[in-house]
Amino acid sequence: QVHLVESGGGVVQAGSSLRLSCAASGLTLSAYAMGWFRQVPGKEREFLAAVTWNTPTTYYGDSVKGRFTMSRDDAKNTVYLQMNNLQVEDTGIYYCAADRNPKMVVTRRAGAWGPGTQVTVSS
C-alpha cells in the first residue's frame, strides 16, 4: 500500500523560503508520477508541480513558475518542493500525490495522497 507523508511546513514571513518533503513508502518512486498541490478553504485543490517517471521534465502551475522547484531523490524515495519568495497567497495546506499514470496526477485524481502540511506566510 502506498503511503505518503509530507513535512517541512511552518509559519514564515513573506519573502522567505521553505522546503517541503514528501516521503513515500510502498512504491518505487522511479516508477511513479509525483505531484504537489495546495488547498485553501473554499477553493479547489490547486496544481503546483509534477514530475513523471518516464521523462526528465517537471511541470509547474502558473502561480508558482520561477519561484518553486520540485525535485526527487529516488534513492530516498522522497520528493521535495523548494519554495522561494513566498507570498501571503501561498498560505495553505500542501499535499503530495502519487500515481503510476501522470495524467491522474496532473488532473488531481491521483491514487495516493499524503495528509498534508500547513504553510502559513505572514506579511
Side-chain angles (χ1 to χ4, degrees):
Q1 185 175 356
V2 176
H3 188 57
L4 306 174
V5 179
E6 304 92 341
S7 61
V11 180
V12 296
Q13 288 192 323
S16 300
S17 299
L18 275 177
R19 189 177 80 155
L20 305 182
S21 300
C22 173
S25 59
L27 58 79
T28 301
L29 200 62
S30 59
Y32 277 71
M34 303 291 295
W36 283 99
F37 298 79
R38 175 173 66 208
Q39 187 154 32
V40 297
K43 290 190 176 182
E44 198 173 58
R45 193 166 291 189
E46 179 186 7
F47 168 75
L48 301 179
V51 60
T52 63
W53 56 267
N54 58 344
T55 71
T57 304
T58 305
Y59 303 90
Y60 294 97
D62 289 341
S63 66
V64 302
K65 280 181 183 175
R67 297 190 300 127
F68 290 12
T69 302
M70 182 177 182
S71 61
R72 62 193 296 166
D73 186 334
D74 290 350
K76 294 183 178 180
N77 250 25
T78 300
V79 295
Y80 304 95
L81 186 67
Q82 177 66 43
M83 306 186 295
N84 297 330
N85 191 24
L86 284 161
Q87 303 300 309
V88 173
E89 52 267 32
D90 293 317
T91 294
I93 300 175
Y94 284 68
Y95 299 90
C96 69
D99 202 287
R100 288 185 179 272
N101 186 337
K103 290 184 180 178
M104 299 297 281
V105 172
V106 298
T107 58
R108 300 185 295 269
R109 295 179 291 164
W113 293 83
T117 186
Q118 176 72 45
V119 172
T120 303
V121 185
S122 61
S123 59

